[in-house]
């Protein structure tokens, strides 16, 4: 029995030492802009802001056959910031863990033009997400600028996850400020890379940091920010979602899966998934 206790004690010390050495190694490893990136995150958008004019090159708009089989496609676009009209909050709960989810925001402009901003890990070829690795400085952070037919349809039509798309109650000036803040940060990350962190720098915590710059009352520290599968409930309680419905009714109304399937090939995809909002 004493021998077993000694072995267990030695193993505990050995594992603790390995963890300390790993933490030191991770802390000394800088984030990099150049790696062998996965195809869907290899090409970054080029962003320029000139007064009220925002030009974006390489907006991602892949054609998917499955989640892993796709044709890369990009386009260039220009927005007038005076034409900004709305901002939307998307929640994609993961079926295997209801507290886990991906969140993103999408900005609407006159003429039913939308562009989505998705904060993600920038994956290397063959790399997959791990919450544990996300704590150990293993993933760089990136802001994906994409067409909704890419980032939303990927989740609703190909991953077959539930997708909720909520209109956010905010004035146009504040929406404009948030949009500029997000794309400016995305552009900065291209030359000043940072690590993703499962607790402090995720899709949702970064959205909250941008939102807190434009709201008179900050989003409070809440477990639902760390468990974004419940983040829409928090947004509802904070009256950020533009609706008079109960939360359950709002969830039903703003679930877009059926419409995303029905209008999958429509050039008016973004407009049609909002029918009835």
């Amino acid at each position: 029995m004493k021998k077993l206790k000694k072995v267990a004690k030695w193993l505990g010390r050995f594992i603790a030492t390995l963890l300390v050495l790993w933490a030191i190694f991770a802390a000394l490893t800088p984030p990099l802009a150049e790696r062998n990136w996965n195809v869907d995150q290899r090409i970054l958008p080029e962003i320029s802001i000139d007064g009220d004019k925002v030009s974006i090159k390489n907006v991602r708009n892949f054609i998917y056959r499955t989640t892993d089989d796709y044709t890369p496609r990009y386009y260039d676009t220009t927005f007038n910031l005076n034409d900004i009209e709305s901002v939307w909050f998307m929640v994609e709960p993961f079926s295997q863990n209801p507290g886990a989810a991906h969140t993103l925001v999408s900005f609407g402009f006159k003429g039913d033009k939308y562009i989505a901003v998705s904060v993600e890990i920038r994956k290397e070829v063959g790399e997959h997400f791990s919450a544990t690795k996300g704590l150990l400085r293993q993933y760089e952070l990136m802001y994906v600028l994409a067409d909704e037919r890419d980032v939303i349809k990927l989740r609703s039509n190909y991953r077959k996850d539930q997708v909720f798309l909520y209109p956010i109650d905010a004035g146009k000036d504040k929406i404009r400020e948030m949009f500029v803040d997000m794309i400016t940060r995305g552009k900065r990350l291209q030359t000043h890379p940072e690590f993703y962190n499962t607790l402090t720098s995720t899709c949702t915590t970064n959205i909250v940091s941008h939102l807190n710059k434009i709201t008179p009352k900050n989003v409070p520290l809440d477990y639902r920010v760390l468990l974004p599968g419940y983040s829409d409930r928090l947004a509802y309680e904070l009256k950020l979602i533009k609706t008079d419905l109960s939360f359950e009714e709002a969830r039903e109304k703003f679930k877009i899966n059926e419409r995303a399937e029905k209008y999958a090939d429509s050039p008016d995809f973004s407009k049609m998934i909002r029918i009835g909002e």
Side-chain angles (χ1 to χ4, degrees), residues 111-177:
D112 293 311
K113 294 177 65 177
Y114 294 87
I115 186 159
V117 185
S118 178
V119 184
E120 303 179 8
I121 62 167
R122 194 177 186 191
K123 300 184 298 292
E124 297 178 63
V125 172
E127 197 168 43
H128 300 281
F129 177 73
S130 160
T132 301
K133 286 185 176 181
L135 291 169
L136 299 173
R137 298 162 64 90
Q138 293 300 293
Y139 307 117
E140 276 80 8
L141 186 72
M142 73 174 299
Y143 279 43
V144 176
L145 271 62
D147 195 291
E148 289 188 337
R149 290 170 292 185
D150 180 321
V151 287
I152 291 182
K153 200 162 72 172
L154 169 63
R155 292 166 166 85
S156 59
N157 294 27
Y158 296 97
R159 291 183 185 168
K160 302 297 182 180
D161 287 333
Q162 293 186 91
V163 174
F164 303 92
L165 187 62
Y166 300 100
I168 296 302
D169 192 6
K172 291 184 180 181
D173 289 345
K174 295 299 184 182
I175 296 171
R176 169 178 172 151
E177 189 179 340

Side-chain angles (χ1 to χ4, degrees), residues 1-271:
M1 193 67 177
K2 288 184 178 179
K3 189 175 182 179
L4 286 175
K5 287 183 177 180
K6 284 184 178 180
V7 171
K9 190 174 183 179
W10 180 86
L11 281 174
R13 288 176 176 175
F14 179 70
I15 293 171
T17 300
L18 287 179
L19 289 174
V20 169
L21 290 174
W22 177 260
I24 292 172
F25 172 77
L28 294 175
T29 302
L32 299 176
E34 299 296 330
R35 295 189 190 273
N36 185 22
W37 303 116
N38 206 42
V39 173
D40 61 332
Q41 295 173 321
R42 188 171 296 164
I43 296 177
L44 297 177
E46 297 178 24
I47 304 163
S48 63
I49 304 175
D50 183 11
D52 294 327
K53 180 181 176 182
V54 175
S55 298
I56 304 173
K57 294 183 178 180
N58 301 323
V59 176
R60 201 181 76 188
N61 187 27
F62 282 21
I63 299 174
Y64 295 90
R65 288 169 290 277
T66 69
T67 55
D68 299 314
D69 180 16
Y70 44 75
T71 300
R73 189 173 67 171
Y74 299 86
Y75 63 81
D76 303 339
T77 190
T78 300
F79 294 103
N80 187 319
L81 292 173
N82 294 319
D83 291 340
I84 203 162
E85 293 184 330
S86 60
V87 60
W88 302 73
F89 179 52
M90 189 212 77
V91 182
E92 173 206 8
F94 300 150
S95 55
Q96 66 272 24
N97 182 350
H102 182 65
T103 58
L104 60 79
V105 292
S106 188
F107 295 88
F109 292 78
K110 286 181 181 178
D112 293 311
K113 294 177 65 177
Y114 294 87
I115 186 159
V117 185
S118 178
V119 184
E120 303 179 8
I121 62 167
R122 194 177 186 191
K123 300 184 298 292
E124 297 178 63
V125 172
E127 197 168 43
H128 300 281
F129 177 73
S130 160
T132 301
K133 286 185 176 181
L135 291 169
L136 299 173
R137 298 162 64 90
Q138 293 300 293
Y139 307 117
E140 276 80 8
L141 186 72
M142 73 174 299
Y143 279 43
V144 176
L145 271 62
D147 195 291
E148 289 188 337
R149 290 170 292 185
D150 180 321
V151 287
I152 291 182
K153 200 162 72 172
L154 169 63
R155 292 166 166 85
S156 59
N157 294 27
Y158 296 97
R159 291 183 185 168
K160 302 297 182 180
D161 287 333
Q162 293 186 91
V163 174
F164 303 92
L165 187 62
Y166 300 100
I168 296 302
D169 192 6
K172 291 184 180 181
D173 289 345
K174 295 299 184 182
I175 296 171
R176 169 178 172 151
E177 189 179 340
M178 183 175 178
F179 175 67
V180 171
D181 194 51
M182 291 195 78
I183 63 173
T184 299
R185 174 160 165 74
K187 183 177 181 179
R188 176 176 171 77
L189 285 171
Q190 296 179 15
T191 54
H192 297 80
E194 299 175 19
F195 282 117
Y196 173 96
N197 185 283
T198 305
L199 293 178
T200 62
S201 187
T202 66
C203 54
T204 311
T205 62
N206 278 287
I207 290 173
V208 167
S209 71
H210 292 292
L211 183 62
N212 280 345
K213 293 180 181 180
I214 68 166
T215 53
K217 184 177 180 180
N218 282 2
V219 175
L221 182 63
D222 191 287
Y223 76 92
R224 289 168 290 187
V225 174
L226 301 179
L227 294 174
Y230 308 118
S231 60
D232 50 353
R233 166 73 77 170
L234 176 61
Y236 178 84
E237 291 177 3
L238 294 174
K239 301 187 184 304
L240 293 174
I241 296 174
K242 189 185 298 183
T243 184
D244 295 323
L245 300 173
S246 69
F247 175 69
E248 291 72 20
E249 291 170 332
R251 251 195 155 218
E252 183 63 29
K253 178 178 181 178
F254 297 119
K255 182 179 176 182
I256 57 91
N257 293 72
E258 185 176 334
R259 296 189 292 273
E261 291 282 356
K262 182 177 181 179
Y263 299 108
D265 299 321
S266 171
D268 295 323
F269 175 81
S270 291
K271 177 181 179 180

